[in-house]
């Protein structure tokens, strides 16, 4: 007998139209990990405090640990796995600046940095700190992250 708590949702994932059978309690992180083997959005705090679970929903970064998968029916979702074959200026800058150690937080920082630069093309250090306040790096690579954001922003302004 079909579980009454399951439902099928249709959405766009990294540019492809997909469907998934989900359970009612699933979050976006559950949907990506259990439904599609995508682990770039990581569950850490589970409370919307660390940014490790960031995904881009309808063009805006959200905490995937808080957002119910059922609400993504008809939505567009992008994850760090989009365009895996190429690096964008933000990813290049993070690598060049050494803006990570374990890398657990990095997908969330990269996705938030893309949005930051889209909104603030020439961010000051203070603006970067404020904008990325919802992303935590337990390895403490904040100086390198700020350097990477400014490097990526400069490169994107010049492009
Ligand atoms: S796991 Fe979602 S914000 Fe920390
Ligand atoms: S690089 Fe390890 S948590 Fe940020």
């Amino acid at each position: 007998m079909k579980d009454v708590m399951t439902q099928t949702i249709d959405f766009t994932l990294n540019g492809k139209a997909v469907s998934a059978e989900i359970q009612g309690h699933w979050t976006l992180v559950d949907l990506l990990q259990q439904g599609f083997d995508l682990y770039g959005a990581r569950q850490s705090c589970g409370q919307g405090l660390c940014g490790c679970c960031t995904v881009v929903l309808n063009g805006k970064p959200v905490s995937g640990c808080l957002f119910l998968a059922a609400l993504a029916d008809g939505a567009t979702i992008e994850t760090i796995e989009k365009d895996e074959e190429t690096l964008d200026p933000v990813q290049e800058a993070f690598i060049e600046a050494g803006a990570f150690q374990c890398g657990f937080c990095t997908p969330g920082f990269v996705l938030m940095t893309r949005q930051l630069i889209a909104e603030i093309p020439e961010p000051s250090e203070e603006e970067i700190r404020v904008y990325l306040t919802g992303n935590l790096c337990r390895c403490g690579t904040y100086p390198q992250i700020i350097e990477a954001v400014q490097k990526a922003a400069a490169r994107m302004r010049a492009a």
Side-chain angles (χ1 to χ4, degrees):
M1 188 174 75
K2 191 176 170 72
D3 184 341
V4 293
M5 293 304 290
T6 65
Q7 71 179 89
T8 300
I9 62 171
D10 304 305
F11 58 103
T12 302
L13 177 59
N14 292 334
K16 293 185 183 151
V18 296
S19 297
E21 185 165 332
I22 63 166
Q23 297 182 25
H25 66 277
W26 276 15
T27 64
L28 289 184
V29 173
D30 296 323
L31 171 66
L32 294 168
Q33 294 188 353
Q34 298 184 49
F36 296 91
D37 278 338
L38 295 176
Y39 289 87
R42 284 90 186 249
Q43 180 88 11
S44 185
C45 72
Q47 298 178 17
L49 299 174
C50 75
C52 291
C53 61
T54 301
V55 300
V56 179
L57 180 74
N58 295 330
K60 297 284 183 197
V62 300
S63 294
C65 69
L66 296 182
F67 204 95
L68 281 176
L71 298 175
D73 193 24
T76 296
I77 296 175
E78 291 182 2
T79 71
I80 195 67
E81 288 90 352
K82 187 174 183 219
D83 300 326
E84 261 185 326
E85 304 302 316
T86 56
L87 298 176
D88 79 341
V90 175
Q91 290 167 308
E92 286 176 351
F94 268 68
I95 292 169
E96 287 170 15
F100 50 84
Q101 285 187 34
C102 74
F104 195 82
C105 67
T106 310
F109 270 103
V110 167
L111 294 174
M112 282 302 287
T113 296
R114 289 175 182 165
Q115 185 68 24
L116 188 171
I117 294 173
E119 293 180 19
I120 312 173
E122 193 168 357
S124 66
E125 179 175 337
E126 179 67 16
E127 287 171 323
I128 294 168
R129 288 184 185 279
V130 169
Y131 200 99
L132 297 179
T133 198
N135 290 74
L136 303 182
C137 175
R138 289 164 179 77
C139 297
T141 62
Y142 295 108
Q144 292 85 358
I145 288 169
I146 290 166
E147 180 187 336
V149 174
Q150 290 183 319
K151 195 183 280 259
R155 196 165 292 170
M156 291 166 80
R157 287 197 304 277

